[in-house]
Coordinates of all heavy atoms in Angstrom, one line a residue:
Chain A
W996 N 44.6 197.6 -76.2 CA 43.8 198.0 -77.4 C 42.3 197.9 -77.3 O 41.6 198.4 -78.1 CB 44.4 197.3 -78.7 CG 45.7 197.9 -79.0 CD1 47.0 197.4 -78.8 CD2 46.0 199.3 -79.4 NE1 47.9 198.3 -79.2 CE2 47.4 199.4 -79.5 CE3 45.2 200.4 -79.7 CZ2 48.0 200.6 -79.9 CZ3 45.8 201.6 -80.1 CH2 47.1 201.7 -80.2
G999 N 42.5 201.3 -76.5 CA 43.2 202.2 -77.5 C 42.3 202.6 -78.7 O 42.5 203.7 -79.1
H1000 N 41.5 201.8 -79.2 CA 40.7 202.3 -80.3 C 39.6 203.2 -79.9 O 39.5 204.3 -80.5 CB 40.2 201.2 -81.3 CG 39.7 201.8 -82.5 ND1 40.6 202.2 -83.5 CD2 38.5 202.2 -82.9 CE1 39.9 202.9 -84.4 NE2 38.6 202.9 -84.1
V1003 N 40.6 206.8 -79.7 CA 40.7 207.7 -80.8 C 39.4 208.4 -81.1 O 39.3 209.5 -81.6 CB 41.3 207.1 -82.1 CG1 42.5 206.3 -81.8 CG2 40.3 206.2 -82.8
V1046 N 36.5 196.7 -82.2 CA 37.4 196.8 -83.4 C 38.9 196.9 -83.1 O 39.7 196.9 -83.9 CB 37.0 198.0 -84.3 CG1 35.6 197.9 -84.8 CG2 37.2 199.3 -83.5
G1047 N 39.2 196.8 -81.8 CA 40.6 197.1 -81.4 C 41.6 196.2 -81.9 O 42.8 196.5 -82.0
H1049 N 42.3 195.5 -84.7 CA 42.9 196.0 -85.9 C 44.3 196.6 -85.6 O 45.1 196.9 -86.5 CB 42.1 196.9 -86.8 CG 41.7 198.2 -86.1 ND1 40.5 198.8 -86.3 CD2 42.4 199.0 -85.3 CE1 40.5 199.9 -85.6 NE2 41.6 200.1 -85.0
H1050 N 44.6 196.7 -84.3 CA 46.0 197.1 -83.9 C 46.9 195.9 -83.7 O 48.0 196.1 -83.4 CB 45.9 198.0 -82.7 CG 45.2 199.3 -82.9 ND1 45.8 200.5 -83.2 CD2 43.9 199.6 -82.9 CE1 44.9 201.4 -83.4 NE2 43.7 200.9 -83.2
Ligands
CU573 CU1 42.1 201.7 -83.9

Side-chain angles (χ1 to χ4, degrees):
Chain A
W996 287 109
H1000 192 80
V1003 314
V1046 298
H1049 65 217
H1050 297 263

